[in-house]
């Protein structure tokens, strides 16, 4: 550990004067690495001059191949050639992407799905690490030194499990992750810094596998993400699949084609799709096994019509993000287009129509994310002179609300969705029963008000709370989300200082569709949730009153109440308890019975108060009060 | 919570302040840089800023700007000898990860 010396005012040296730092866009389809040299961000090419590294890994008999060559051999060895592995990051077998399931031999494993290959079982983390290692070697060869740190981008929609998996992959590849950065935010960094643009922008990122929309506010070099949304299962691949199905029908190809032919057909569909971004008409030509070959003319108009629904699907999250940010399309100064799929003319047209202005295209849609990541890496590595870095603050948001389970299975939201991160938020809770010495903390993620409808992230128990009457303990629960979007939760009893803590080492497993579903659900069911919430609250309140009254009766009932008085209170308790047990779920009735018990025990409560004041005053003179 | 210095650190700070002949105390700050994201800065302070938070420990005034405070709360500043080198070391309960050289940290 380096020891520090005291410097003269304003002269504390920035550490690490010359550090090699890079940004990596680890894409579903393509990955690339960029760095800042002499103040300019630029993507690094491999020996052959290629910048994009196809995110494909082939596990061969003797060696492993990454990138272009692996992709070229995909049709020959489909089961051992892993593409689009990003779709499996942080997933269990149960929620693995259906397309991936049909292409690979997936198996369940501890924590995460595995892919059976010739080289053995590979987890998505290992496959991603192989891609990252290849980029690391490229960067180190081209920069002539060891990398100090990297910034890796992830879709805004990645949950904790997916982010953790990405970090794990980087560690496995021997990379030091300075931070993870949301892809659209990285694009905005590249855009904002290059153009010194101010105002509110949208970043529309349609890549190979995922779609992200972010609404960002840029002011004097400060980025604030106002809202994010997206569809984690929408991208260029889906366009390929639709076109492939259409080609198959046109050419009357059989449904049960061998895996190699299906791969060939997909590759054909992709190249047809890409050329239709330039041409009005092309002919799809390909030969398959058993001497079958096809030749199908495809026009841009046909393709646009075929895939219009996919384009429309991307506009829904855009509208939602605008709503979340309380903005209309007219408030958006410009739309930044990111991702190779935004080259499709009908995507451009749809975005232009929605926003009423031509989208911004002056950055290379393939590189913009990596360039932004490189700029951020440069800052984090301390390569910028202080002053400029001080104004360079980046705000990001968390995509789903985080909260705690409270009594009755309700969710108390602590960090609302779209809160800027890093963040720390605290809320005080108390004990529910007299003498309660432990409290269990259940951390959940999602938009619904009912625990069972949200995703369970972690549970832990705070023990050693000093026994006190119900409601006297003050337990502060703090949620802290770091700059990578990873969560840690601490519960601390304030008077005694006892503390318990959990790092959300997320249980890999929130399905891609599930994030979207959890968001969608929250919109449709607000009212039902509110009703359920009121019912649960009434039930909790009722139970608490019963417990408190019973405890009071046990303590002072005999001393302070005559038997008939005692009966009245007891009856009101029974009436309320019965109502709770029949599980009828009538909020009004429960509230009425609760009020009745309150009324019946009102006198008793007053007498107890008097008695306890008398006890407290006993033996003290007026002066000491 | 507060920020403190060890007895050894206090002695050393006092000595260097005396030798320097001026200065109201020591400024502790955190800057966003370094390979783990944050880096410490340790400077003489010739004047305090209105927004500064001031801690006293071992007879030394420690000035911290409010932006740095959350990252420094609970930190103890120590003065140590390691091999041939002598210098200050931050014992920071907030730091979760340090880069290999210890010049920067992450919370
Ligand atoms: N000229 C083009 N016309 C249409 N689509 C294109 C064109 N060029 C590339 N694409 C498509 O862009 C997609 C790849 O985009 P990109 O490299 O941005 O994705 P990615 O970043 O790897 O994926 P993701 O962002 O989902 O992780 C592929 O589906 C590819 O077919
Ligand atoms: Mg991308």
């Amino acid at each position: 550990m380096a020891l520090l010396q005291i410097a003269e005012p304003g002269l504390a040296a920035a550490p690490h004067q010359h550090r090699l730092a890079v940004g990596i866009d680890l894409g579903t389809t393509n990955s690339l690495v960029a760095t800042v040299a002499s103040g300019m961000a630029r993507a690094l090419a491999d020996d052959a001059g290629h910048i994009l590294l196809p995110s494909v890994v082939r596990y061969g008999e003797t060696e492993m191949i990454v990138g272009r060559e692996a992709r070229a051999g995909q049709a020959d060895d489909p089961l051992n050639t892993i593409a689009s592995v990003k779709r499996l990051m942080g997933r269990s077998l149960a929620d693995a992407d259906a397309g991936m399931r049909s292409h690979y031999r997936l198996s369940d494993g501890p924590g995460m799905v595995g892919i059976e290959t010739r080289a053995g079982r590979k987890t998505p983390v290992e496959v991603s690490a192989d891609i990252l290692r290849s980029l690391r070697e490229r960067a180190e060869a081209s920069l002539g030194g060891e990398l100090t740190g990297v910034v890796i981008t992830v879709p805004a929609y990645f949950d904790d499990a997916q982010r953790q998996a990405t970090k794990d992959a980087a560690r496995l590849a021997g990379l030091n992750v300075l931070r993870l950065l949301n892809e659209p935010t990285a694009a905005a960094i590249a855009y904002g810094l290059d153009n010194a643009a101010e105002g509110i922008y949208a970043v529309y990122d349609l890549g190979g596998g995922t779609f992200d929309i972010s609404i960002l506010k840029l002011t004097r070099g400060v980025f604030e993400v106002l809202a994010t949304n997206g569809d984690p299962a929408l991208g260029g691949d889906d366009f390929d699949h639709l076109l492939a199905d259409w080609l198959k029908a046109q050419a009357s190809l059989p449904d049960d084609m061998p895996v190699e032919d299906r791969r060939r057909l997909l590759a054909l569909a992709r190249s047809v799709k890409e050329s239709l971004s330039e041409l009005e008409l092309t002919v799809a030509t390909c030969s398959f096994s058993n001497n079958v070959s096809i030749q199908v003319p495809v026009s841009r108009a046909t393709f646009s019509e075929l895939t219009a629904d996919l384009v429309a699907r991307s506009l829904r999250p855009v509208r939602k993000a605008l709503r979340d940010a309380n903005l209309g399309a007219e408030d958006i100064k410009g739309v930044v287009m990111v991702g190779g799929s935004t080259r499709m003319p009908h995507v451009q047209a749809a975005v232009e129509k929605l926003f009423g202005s031509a989208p911004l295209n002056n950055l290379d849609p393939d590189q913009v994310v990596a360039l932004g990541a490189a700029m951020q890496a440069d800052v984090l590595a301390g390569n910028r002179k202080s002053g400029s870095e001080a104004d360079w603050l980046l705000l990001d948001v968390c995509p789903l609300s985080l909260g705690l389970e409270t009594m009755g299975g309700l969710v108390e939201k602590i960090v609302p969705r779209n809160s800027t991160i890093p963040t720390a938020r605290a809320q005080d809770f108390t004990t529910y029963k007299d003498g309660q010495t432990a409290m269990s903390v259940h951390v959940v993620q999602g938009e619904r008000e009912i625990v069972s409808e949200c995703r369970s992230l972690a549970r832990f128990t705070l023990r050693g709370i000093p026994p006190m009457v119900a409601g006297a303990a003050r337990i502060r629960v703090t949620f802290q989300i770091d700059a990578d979007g990873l969560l840690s939760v601490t519960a601390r009893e304030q008077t005694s200082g006892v503390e318990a803590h959990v790092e959300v080492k997320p249980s890999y497993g929130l399905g891609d569709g599930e994030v979207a579903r959890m968001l969608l659900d929250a919109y449709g069911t607000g009212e039902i949730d509110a009703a359920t919430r009121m019912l649960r609250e009434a039930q909790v309140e009722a139970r608490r009153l019963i417990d408190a009254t019973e405890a009071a009766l046990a303590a002072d009932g005999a001393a302070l109440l005559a038997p008939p008085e005692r009966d009245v209170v007891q009856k009101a308790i029974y009436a309320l308890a019965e109502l709770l047990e029949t599980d009828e779920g009538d909020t009004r009735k429960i509230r009425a019975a609760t009020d009745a018990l309150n009324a019946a025990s009102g006198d008793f409560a007053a007498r107890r108060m008097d008695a306890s004041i008398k006890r407290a005053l006993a033996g003290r003179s007026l002066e000491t009060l | 919570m507060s920020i403190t210095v060890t007895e050894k650190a206090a002695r050393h700070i006092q000595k260097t302040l005396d030798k320097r002949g001026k200065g109201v105390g020591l400024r502790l700050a955190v800057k966003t840089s370094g390979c783990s994201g944050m880096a410490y800065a340790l400077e003489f302070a010739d004047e305090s800023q209105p927004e500064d938070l001031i801690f006293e420990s071992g007879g030394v005034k420690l000035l911290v700007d409010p932006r740095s405070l959350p990252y420094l709360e609970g930190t103890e500043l120590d003065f140590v000898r390691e091999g041939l080198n002598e210098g200050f070391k931050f014992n920071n309960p907030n730091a979760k990860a340090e880069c290999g050289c210890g010049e920067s940290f992450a919370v």
Side-chain angles (χ1 to χ4, degrees):
Chain A
M1 150 137 202
L3 299 175
L4 284 141
Q5 307 301 329
I6 309 176
E8 281 302 310
L11 293 180
H16 315 314
Q17 291 304 347
H18 299 288
R19 303 204 158 270
L20 300 180
V22 297
I24 292 180
D25 176 357
L26 183 60
T28 313
T29 320
N30 295 305
S31 300
L32 68 154
V33 57
T35 194
V36 173
S38 327
M40 277 284 292
R42 65 184 174 89
L44 302 174
D46 64 8
D47 288 342
H50 297 297
I51 283 174
L52 295 186
L53 176 75
S55 305
V56 182
V57 184
R58 176 172 180 182
Y59 294 96
E61 299 284 358
T62 53
E63 52 167 11
M64 175 199 76
I65 314 165
V66 180
R68 213 156 288 271
E69 211 187 314
R71 190 178 64 186
Q74 200 169 9
D76 306 325
D77 191 11
L79 290 175
N80 299 296
T81 308
I82 316 303
S84 298
V85 73
K86 189 171 175 178
R87 291 197 172 229
L88 295 178
M89 287 294 266
R91 295 277 167 257
S92 66
L93 181 61
D95 46 35
D97 180 86
M100 294 300 283
R101 270 194 233 218
S102 69
H103 288 306
Y104 300 108
R105 291 167 299 191
L106 302 187
S107 63
D108 219 349
M112 215 190 296
V113 63
I115 308 160
E116 299 303 329
T117 74
R118 185 185 289 123
R121 180 177 187 274
K122 295 284 174 186
T123 65
V125 167
E126 290 170 300
V127 179
S128 301
D130 287 332
I131 298 167
L132 289 171
R133 205 172 290 117
S134 165
L135 290 172
R136 174 184 156 200
E137 282 160 12
R138 178 197 294 189
E140 293 189 334
S142 127
L143 299 175
E146 210 176 295
L147 297 182
T148 316
V150 299
V151 167
I152 300 180
T153 58
V154 291
Y157 255 76
F158 259 27
D159 64 23
D160 287 334
Q162 293 165 300
R163 283 168 200 264
Q164 189 62 51
T166 306
K167 275 192 151 179
D168 291 347
R171 199 168 317 121
L172 205 55
L175 291 167
N176 172 33
V177 181
L178 299 174
R179 73 171 286 187
L180 303 179
L181 185 62
N182 284 343
E183 287 160 12
T185 308
I189 289 173
Y191 198 84
L193 289 191
D194 288 350
N195 300 279
E198 302 218 337
I200 298 170
Y201 289 86
V203 181
Y204 179 104
D205 179 350
L206 189 59
T210 54
F211 170 63
D212 282 317
I213 178 77
S214 289
I215 313 291
L216 306 158
K217 194 171 165 189
L218 312 184
T219 328
R220 278 186 296 282
V222 176
F223 296 83
E224 188 183 1
V225 183
L226 299 179
T228 73
N229 212 305
D231 187 333
L234 176 65
D237 296 351
D238 300 300
F239 291 75
D240 300 348
H241 281 111
L242 276 187
L243 183 57
D245 288 347
W246 183 84
L247 288 170
K248 194 167 74 182
Q250 292 293 308
S252 313
L253 294 170
D255 271 336
D256 54 345
M257 290 196 294
V259 144
E260 289 78 3
D261 281 354
R262 270 193 281 151
R263 278 280 166 214
R264 275 191 200 107
L265 182 63
L266 271 180
L268 171 69
R270 167 192 288 230
S271 86
V272 167
K273 169 192 79 174
E274 291 180 5
S275 46
L276 285 175
S277 292
E278 309 296 322
L279 308 170
E280 286 289 345
L281 185 72
T282 187
V283 181
T285 316
C286 186
S287 3
F288 297 95
S289 44
N290 307 324
N291 289 327
V292 179
S293 60
I294 65 167
Q295 233 179 344
V296 183
V298 194
S299 73
R300 183 187 284 176
T302 306
F303 174 66
S304 301
E305 202 179 310
L306 194 63
T307 54
D309 281 353
L310 292 177
V311 180
R313 234 172 86 191
S314 78
L315 298 182
R316 262 172 257 155
V318 176
R319 293 196 193 93
K320 258 183 236 157
L322 284 170
R323 212 158 52 212
D324 279 352
N326 265 324
L327 294 168
E330 68 284 355
D331 298 319
I332 305 299
K333 198 165 162 193
V335 186
V336 180
M337 299 297 262
V338 181
S341 299
T342 60
R343 290 204 176 90
M344 289 185 281
H346 62 315
V347 170
Q348 295 273 341
V351 172
E352 174 164 354
K353 182 153 175 259
L354 181 72
F355 286 97
S357 64
L360 300 162
N361 284 317
N362 47 329
L363 294 168
D364 185 327
D366 292 328
Q367 293 184 15
V368 56
V369 167
L371 297 178
M375 292 177 182
Q376 167 107 115
D378 193 46
V379 172
L380 291 177
N383 288 341
R384 287 192 188 210
K385 298 284 155 285
S386 61
S388 67
E389 90 198 28
D391 332 320
W392 216 74
L393 185 71
L394 179 71
L395 300 173
D396 224 328
V397 302
C398 75
L400 291 170
S401 302
L402 294 162
L404 282 188
E405 171 169 1
T406 61
M407 292 304 299
L410 297 176
V411 178
E412 183 75 35
K413 283 180 190 156
I414 310 280
V415 182
R417 140 185 167 67
N418 281 331
S419 301
T420 50
I421 53 175
T423 188
R425 305 229 182 172
Q427 192 148 322
D428 286 345
F429 292 86
T430 189
T431 43
Y432 170 81
K433 285 205 160 159
D434 287 347
Q436 183 179 339
T437 59
M439 183 168 113
S440 98
V441 177
H442 183 197
V443 184
V444 298
Q445 181 177 42
E447 303 315 306
R448 299 289 296 270
E449 309 236 351
I450 314 295
V451 165
S452 53
E453 305 284 337
C454 286
R455 182 193 185 207
S456 168
L457 283 182
R459 283 171 198 275
F460 65 99
T461 307
L462 176 66
R463 290 178 207 286
I465 302 171
M468 288 179 241
V469 292
R474 218 149 53 81
I475 296 151
R476 173 156 300 177
V477 179
T478 308
F479 277 55
Q480 190 154 11
I481 309 180
D482 70 11
D484 299 329
L486 296 173
L487 170 71
S488 69
V489 179
T490 308
R492 183 186 158 89
E493 203 288 308
Q494 301 291 86
T495 54
S496 62
V498 293
E499 193 172 287
H501 177 88
V502 68
E503 300 272 334
V504 177
K505 266 292 171 200
S507 41
Y508 291 112
L510 183 58
D512 262 350
E514 237 174 304
V515 176
R517 183 187 59 74
M518 284 161 78
L519 283 176
L520 274 179
D521 280 2
Y523 284 102
T525 53
E527 258 171 59
I528 305 171
D529 276 4
T532 315
R533 186 179 189 99
M534 283 198 293
L535 172 63
R536 297 283 170 87
E537 273 170 1
Q539 288 168 336
V540 169
E541 176 56 31
R543 262 182 221 119
R544 206 182 47 215
L545 186 61
I546 292 175
D547 282 358
T549 315
E550 276 176 344
L553 280 179
D556 295 325
L560 298 177
L561 292 179
E565 290 172 321
R566 207 184 157 139
D567 251 20
V568 173
V569 177
Q570 199 70 63
K571 276 209 186 93
I573 292 180
Y574 288 149
L576 182 54
E578 205 174 337
L579 207 52
L580 291 177
E581 254 150 47
T582 51
D583 208 28
E584 207 175 79
D586 188 327
T587 309
R588 263 203 1 248
K589 276 192 199 158
I590 293 172
R591 280 198 184 144
T594 306
D595 290 346
L597 175 55
N598 256 324
S601 58
D603 265 0
F604 177 41
R607 271 181 234 175
R608 290 190 79 212
M609 188 76 85
D610 287 348
S612 73
I613 290 173
K614 263 185 218 131
R615 270 200 298 271
L617 293 181
R620 290 217 231 160
S621 70
L622 228 64
E623 280 86 338
T624 61
L625 280 175
Chain B
M1 281 261 226
S2 68
I3 297 172
T4 54
V5 297
T6 62
E7 206 189 313
K8 241 171 126 188
R11 260 206 316 272
H12 189 81
I13 296 165
Q14 206 56 63
K15 211 168 68 197
T16 45
L17 271 172
D18 287 345
K19 214 158 66 192
R20 188 167 172 267
K22 60 170 183 174
V24 297
L26 202 61
R27 176 173 297 284
L28 273 61
V30 164
K31 297 188 172 170
T32 51
S33 75
C35 42
S36 292
M38 307 259 179
Y40 299 112
L42 197 56
E43 295 174 0
F44 293 112
D46 285 331
E47 53 189 5
S48 64
Q49 302 299 322
E51 72 273 16
D52 278 342
L53 289 125
I54 302 175
F55 299 91
E56 289 252 13
S57 174
V60 181
K61 262 207 179 71
L62 304 167
L63 286 67
V64 180
D65 67 280
R67 264 190 63 183
S68 298
L69 187 66
Y71 303 111
L72 288 173
E73 214 150 49
T75 294
E76 181 194 61
L77 187 64
D78 199 358
F79 188 75
V80 295
R81 175 195 301 278
E82 277 178 16
L84 295 175
N85 297 317
E86 274 191 323
F88 290 95
K89 194 172 163 172
F90 283 79
N91 295 322
N92 186 345
N94 302 302
K96 292 222 191 75
E98 277 184 350
C99 68
C101 63
E103 279 185 56
S104 68
F105 67 97
V107 292

